[in-house]
Amino acid sequence: MGTLIPRGPGAGGLAALRRRLARCLRGDPPPPAGPSPGGPPSPGPTTRPGGGRVETLNAVLATGSFIAALMFYAGTMNSNAFYAYFHVSYASIGFSFSDLVLASLRLITMPVLITVALAALAPELPAFLASMGLPARWSLRARRAGHAVAARYPWFVLAGVLLMALWPFVQPYAWGAPLLVACGLLLKPARPGGGQADGRRLPAAALAGLFVLWAVALVADQQGQRQARRVADRLVERTSVAVLSTDPLAIAGIPQGPAVEDLGKGRHYRYRYTRLRLLVERGKRYYLLPLGWRHRTDPTYVIEDDDSIRIELYPGVQ
């Protein structure tokens, strides 16, 4: 009967030892442990119950917060341009957060809604065509077209930079310059590599967000000025205001100013001022414009309602 002789490490074992020693000398981390031969398989990644719901909720909250912040910013820029046209600082009026958010709705027009809808549909166009039962070649063409556009993202950035260089000559469409740069940065395709690729896209996405804010600010400013000029041109249609005062007010005698009437000594409110239109009212302060108001020369009257003042409101001329 033969004697059992213990076997030493074979060629494969020696090669494994050399690789392990080389890793130790280089300071590399050890490889992930795999399942042992013949042993039970290693457990896969576990998911927490409700994890998908939490991620969905976080995404909804983040999107809602971004939209609310964007609406607040747009409303602020729009209100600033609108009231600055009438020589009034919007901050002095005392608008709340909700007031400025609602003011941003003035920027939502039919072209804006159509553009936003098309931009939201574009990434899902291949899947949409497939769901319509169209031949697969249509989805393939749409996907190839999307890839071709994304591959040419530097042209969007260069076009935006060129428009910035021609800034004085592209008014009033200068908002297209930052919008093109933002589109180019967002179209930049992600590189393979997992989380590191996502990390590389974060600076581009943040920079694109800044250019989007710039474009929104330019559009809001233009819309605010356009709305203010429309109000000034049709001032007679706004709410008519009559101011009754116990003492004379320093708003009479100005060309194109309000008309003043002395009601007599026996009246508590002796002086009555008319030919005024209401711009805005906030906190018992009335911002009034005289009929025939001119942007370059005429003032905006600020009347504070107290015991010596009575304000009467009437319909404007339609």
Side-chain angles (χ1 to χ4, degrees):
M1 185 174 181
T3 305
L4 294 176
I5 302 175
R7 300 176 57 186
L14 291 175
L17 289 175
R18 285 196 297 269
R19 287 194 299 269
R20 188 179 305 173
L21 180 59
R23 281 197 303 269
C24 293
L25 294 175
R26 291 194 303 266
D28 296 342
S36 57
S42 59
T46 59
T47 59
R48 294 181 301 174
R53 297 179 182 177
V54 174
E55 293 178 358
T56 303
L57 181 60
N58 291 337
V60 170
L61 291 177
T63 304
S65 300
F66 176 77
I67 293 176
L70 188 62
M71 294 179 67
F72 171 76
Y73 180 71
T76 299
M77 300 304 297
N78 180 264
S79 299
N80 178 63
F82 178 83
Y83 290 103
Y85 186 84
F86 299 103
H87 322 304
V88 177
S89 172
Y90 85 97
S92 66
I93 300 176
F95 289 120
S96 63
F97 177 85
S98 58
D99 293 331
L100 294 174
V101 169
L102 292 176
S104 68
L105 298 179
R106 294 196 293 257
L107 304 177
I108 300 179
T109 59
M110 188 58 65
V112 172
L113 291 176
I114 294 175
T115 303
V116 172
L118 293 177
L121 179 63
E124 304 298 331
L125 185 59
F128 175 74
L129 295 177
S131 66
M132 295 291 292
L134 297 176
R137 64 176 180 272
W138 292 96
S139 300
L140 182 60
R141 290 175 182 175
R143 188 174 291 106
R144 287 177 177 174
H147 291 166
V149 171
R152 290 165 175 79
Y153 74 93
W155 291 103
F156 288 85
V157 178
L158 291 176
V161 173
L162 178 61
L163 290 180
M164 293 179 193
L166 301 174
W167 193 264
F169 308 101
V170 295
Q171 304 295 335
Y173 304 104
W175 50 267
L179 191 61
L180 282 173
V181 175
C183 290
L185 294 174
L186 292 176
L187 286 173
K188 182 179 180 180
R191 299 177 181 177
Q196 292 183 357
D198 296 337
R200 295 190 189 101
R201 286 182 59 85
L202 285 178
L207 191 59
L210 292 179
F211 280 101
V212 169
L213 289 179
W214 186 11
V216 169
L218 293 174
V219 173
D221 185 83
Q222 290 181 4
Q223 289 291 332
Q225 294 185 25
R226 186 177 297 114
Q227 293 160 3
R229 287 192 293 266
R230 188 182 305 119
V231 167
D233 293 339
R234 306 174 64 177
L235 189 60
V236 70
E237 299 179 3
R238 296 186 71 85
T239 301
S240 177
V241 180
V243 179
L244 289 89
S245 174
T246 58
D247 301 312
L249 300 178
I251 61 176
I254 303 175
Q256 301 293 329
V260 57
E261 181 182 1
D262 189 348
L263 302 179
K265 294 182 179 181
R267 304 293 293 270
H268 178 69
Y269 297 104
R270 178 175 177 177
Y271 302 96
R272 188 172 188 264
Y273 299 85
T274 55
R275 291 178 51 84
L276 295 168
R277 292 298 185 265
L278 178 64
L279 177 63
V280 66
E281 181 274 329
R282 193 76 179 178
K284 293 186 177 182
R285 284 182 299 175
Y286 292 79
Y287 296 80
L288 308 178
L289 300 172
L291 288 178
W293 183 88
R294 293 168 298 185
H295 168 66
R296 294 184 179 275
T297 58
D298 293 345
T300 298
Y301 303 126
V302 182
I303 305 297
E304 188 168 357
D305 190 6
D306 55 21
D307 295 338
S308 64
I309 295 292
R310 189 176 77 184
I311 303 293
E312 296 178 350
L313 304 179
Y314 300 93
V317 178
Q318 301 299 322

